């Protein structure tokens, strides 16, 4: 529901407020800006933004935004109903207990960034009525760039922190005329104008997807495309431009890529920059129909070729991610609460009963135990063993030896992911795909 609502909100883009989408847009906003006398560069940071935004006030900000955007009244009520459900049903589990978040926006919801942005836009519109509000204020999520008169910095921070009882700011000042903000290093020139460079944290190792990794080519190129785009869109002095360019080549070498690999990417972005500088025309964008597949070159490349002829664009999604391998958002299910293969040993002899169940193992073991107590040999092999030998069963050592998930034969409906468009493929095309998969297998 949250994903659907976010896609609906694209019809009503946020035009008020003082937020930027990325560092390149920030650079364009600061074009021609000049620091005043006594002003220093600072960045304000909202402490724990999402958990600090009141849900009801954020929903009111959403209502005002939709009314300003002239959305139909019945649509506004529907959108608000969906948003309220998404924001008020914040349940999670921890150590076997179920909790509900009672204040603030949920960290994992797709709707939280939109509501936080709308709330902060209203916050800024109110705060800018105050005398000490900075004359330049550009925010990216919870980070704000602003020039402030140094002697009024503490008073400005106090004013911002008194604007709302849950929204609190911290501040970072420039050091030796330089201030890191996002991935930019913003410096003051002698004439009080601004100079921009690329900022990397001291812990940066320039490690990206290596050349020998089993990833789709576009995924390997993504980091270098991003760096090349930044190289040509952040205005830098010639010397700094060359230094950043050399850094990209160095990063490529560290990750196993050769010079022609980077040359091709840089030439592409250079041509794009030159083309954009001589025309204001925008390329004609049309809806792209996408199909998501795992990346197994020998089998997916023939499928990709076939789908491409049908006008479908194939995107690859990794099956094994660090999130899947290292992160588990749910409490682990106790072994006896799972289904699978289990064993029940005998105390008086080496005999061990091995069984398999679709239900919880503890339920099936309890059934064996009841059969032993009532001596129903026909209902349990364990009971038959005790009746024949008069042995005692070691119930304390009964355990599951292999968990297994059982799927019912009932057909389930496939719900399309918002990013993926599913299509029913024509017969001949489907046969080619099956043939390619069969040959590979």
């Amino acid at each position: 529901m949250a994903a659907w609502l976010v896609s609906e909100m694209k019809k009503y883009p946020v035009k008020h407020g003082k937020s930027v989408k990325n560092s390149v847009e920030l650079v364009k906003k600061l074009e021609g800006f000049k620091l005043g006398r006594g002003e220093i560069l600072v960045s304000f940071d909202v402490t724990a933004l999402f958990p600090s935004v009141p849900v009801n006030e954020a929903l009111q900000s959403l209502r005002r935004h939709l009314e300003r955007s002239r959305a139909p009244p019945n649509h506004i009520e529907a959108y608000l109903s969906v948003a309220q459900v998404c924001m008020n049903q914040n349940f999670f589990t921890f150590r076997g207990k179920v909790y509900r978040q009672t204040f603030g926006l949920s960290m994992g919801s797709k709707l939280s960034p939109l509501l936080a942005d709308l709330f902060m836009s209203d916050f800024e519109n109110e705060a800018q009525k105050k005398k000490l509000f900075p004359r330049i204020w550009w925010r990216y999520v919870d980070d704000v760039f602003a020039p402030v008169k140094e002697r009024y910095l503490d008073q400005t921070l106090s004013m911002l922190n008194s604007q709302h009882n849950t929204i609190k700011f911290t501040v970072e000042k420039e050091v030796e005329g330089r201030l890191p903000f996002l991935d930019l290093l913003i410096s003051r020139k002698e004439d009080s104008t601004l100079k921009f460079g690329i900022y990397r944290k001291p812990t940066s190792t320039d490690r990206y997807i290596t050349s020998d990794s089993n990833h789709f080519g576009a995924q390997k190129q993504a980091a270098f495309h991003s760096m090349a785009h930044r190289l040509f869109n952040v205005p830098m002095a010639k010397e700094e431009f060359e230094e950043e360019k050399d850094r990209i080549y160095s990063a490529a070498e560290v990750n196993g890529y050769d010079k022609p690999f980077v040359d091709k990417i840089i030439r592409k972005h250079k041509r794009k920059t030159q083309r954009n500088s001589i025309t204001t025309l925008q390329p004609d964008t049309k809806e792209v129909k996408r199909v998501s597949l795992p990346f197994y070159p020998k089998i997916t490349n023939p499928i990709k070729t076939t789908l491409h002829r049908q006008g479908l664009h194939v995107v690859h999604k990794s099956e094994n991610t660090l999130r899947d391998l290292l992160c588990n958002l749910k409490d682990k299910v106790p072994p006896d609460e799972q289904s699978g293969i289990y064993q029940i040993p005998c105390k008086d002899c080496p005999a061990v009963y091995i069984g398999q169940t679709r239900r919880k193992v503890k339920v099936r073991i309890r059934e064996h135990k009841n059969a032993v107590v009532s001596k129903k040999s026909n209902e349990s092999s364990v009971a038959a063993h005790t009746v024949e030998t008069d042995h005692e069963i070691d119930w304390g050592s009964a355990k599951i030896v292999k968990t297994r998930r059982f799927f019912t034969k009932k057909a389930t409906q496939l719900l399309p992911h918002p990013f993926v468009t599913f299509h029913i493929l024509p017969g001949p095309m489907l046969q080619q795909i099956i043939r390619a998969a069969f040959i590979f297998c």
Side-chain angles (χ1 to χ4, degrees), residues 8 33 42 60 140 182 215 219 347 392 429 431:
E8 283 289 300
F33 173 74
V42 302
Q60 290 305 313
Y140 177 79
L182 304 182
H215 279 73
Q219 294 171 333
K347 270 188 179 181
E392 186 180 354
M429 178 180 169
Q431 290 177 6

Side-chain angles (χ1 to χ4, degrees), residues 17-293:
K18 299 179 176 294
S19 63
V20 292
K21 295 180 180 178
N22 49 48
S23 57
V24 173
E25 184 178 352
L26 175 65
V27 169
K28 293 179 180 178
K29 296 284 188 183
L30 294 175
E31 187 176 358
F33 173 74
K34 191 172 183 179
L35 287 167
R37 180 178 296 179
E39 286 186 330
I40 60 172
L41 302 173
V42 302
S43 66
F44 295 104
D45 178 68
V46 184
T47 304
L49 175 61
F50 286 4
S52 300
V53 175
V55 171
N56 291 335
E57 293 183 39
L59 292 177
Q60 290 305 313
S61 295
L62 175 60
R63 178 184 290 276
R64 286 190 289 269
H65 166 65
L66 292 171
E67 289 172 349
R68 280 191 295 262
S69 302
R70 297 183 179 180
N74 58 331
H75 287 196
I76 293 177
E77 297 306 321
Y79 292 146
L80 287 170
S81 296
V82 173
Q84 190 166 20
V85 170
C86 293
M87 289 296 101
N88 290 331
Q89 301 296 322
N90 291 333
F91 295 96
F92 60 93
T93 61
F94 180 69
R95 293 183 177 176
K97 293 184 179 180
V98 180
Y99 297 84
R100 183 171 74 88
Q101 184 175 334
T102 58
F103 187 88
L105 303 178
S106 172
M107 291 292 290
S109 174
K110 295 182 179 180
L111 189 57
S112 294
L114 172 66
L115 292 179
D117 186 38
L118 292 171
F119 173 83
M120 288 302 299
S121 294
D122 286 350
F123 175 94
E124 292 158 352
N125 289 337
E126 288 297 319
Q128 68 181 351
K129 298 175 184 177
K130 304 290 181 67
K131 291 183 179 180
L132 291 174
F133 190 79
R135 63 190 181 97
I136 294 292
W137 175 286
W138 293 113
R139 174 178 51 82
Y140 177 79
V141 189
D142 58 351
D143 292 320
V144 179
F145 171 82
V148 177
K149 287 189 178 294
E150 188 171 15
R151 61 176 177 171
Y152 296 133
L153 178 58
D154 292 337
Q155 294 170 276
T156 301
L157 182 62
S158 298
M159 181 274 294
L160 292 172
N161 286 336
S162 64
Q163 182 71 20
H164 194 279
N165 59 347
T166 63
I167 302 298
K168 304 301 176 185
F169 291 83
T170 59
V171 65
E172 179 183 355
K173 298 192 296 184
E174 65 175 57
V175 177
E176 297 179 355
R178 300 189 300 175
L179 177 74
F181 186 78
L182 304 182
D183 58 350
L184 297 174
L185 184 61
I186 306 176
S187 310
R188 60 164 71 228
K189 295 182 182 179
E190 292 181 359
D191 60 354
S192 297
T193 58
L194 300 181
K195 181 175 68 172
F196 301 97
I198 306 302
Y199 175 74
R200 291 180 176 85
K201 292 184 178 181
T203 54
S204 175
T205 59
D206 287 336
R207 296 297 294 182
Y208 306 102
I209 300 176
T210 56
S211 61
D212 58 351
S213 178
N214 186 36
H215 279 73
F216 182 53
Q219 294 171 333
K220 294 181 179 181
Q221 298 170 12
F224 297 95
H225 275 293
S226 176
M227 288 187 284
H229 173 76
R230 187 174 58 184
L231 175 69
F232 286 99
N233 284 276
V234 174
M236 292 181 281
K238 184 176 180 180
E239 182 179 349
E240 294 173 342
F241 179 91
E242 293 299 327
E243 288 179 1
E244 176 61 20
K245 188 176 177 181
D246 292 340
R247 182 68 180 262
I248 297 175
Y249 279 102
S250 175
E253 184 180 0
V254 168
N255 291 279
Y257 300 100
D258 55 15
K259 188 173 181 293
F261 171 85
V262 182
D263 288 340
K264 183 178 178 180
I265 293 175
I266 287 182
R267 281 197 303 268
K268 181 177 179 179
H269 285 272
K270 185 177 181 179
R271 287 195 302 267
K272 184 177 179 180
T273 303
Q274 291 173 341
R275 184 172 63 247
N276 292 340
S277 66
I278 61 176
T279 180
T280 57
L281 297 176
Q282 297 295 324
D284 184 21
T285 57
K286 58 182 180 179
E287 182 182 359
V288 178
K289 299 177 180 178
R290 297 182 176 89
V291 175
S292 177
L293 295 175

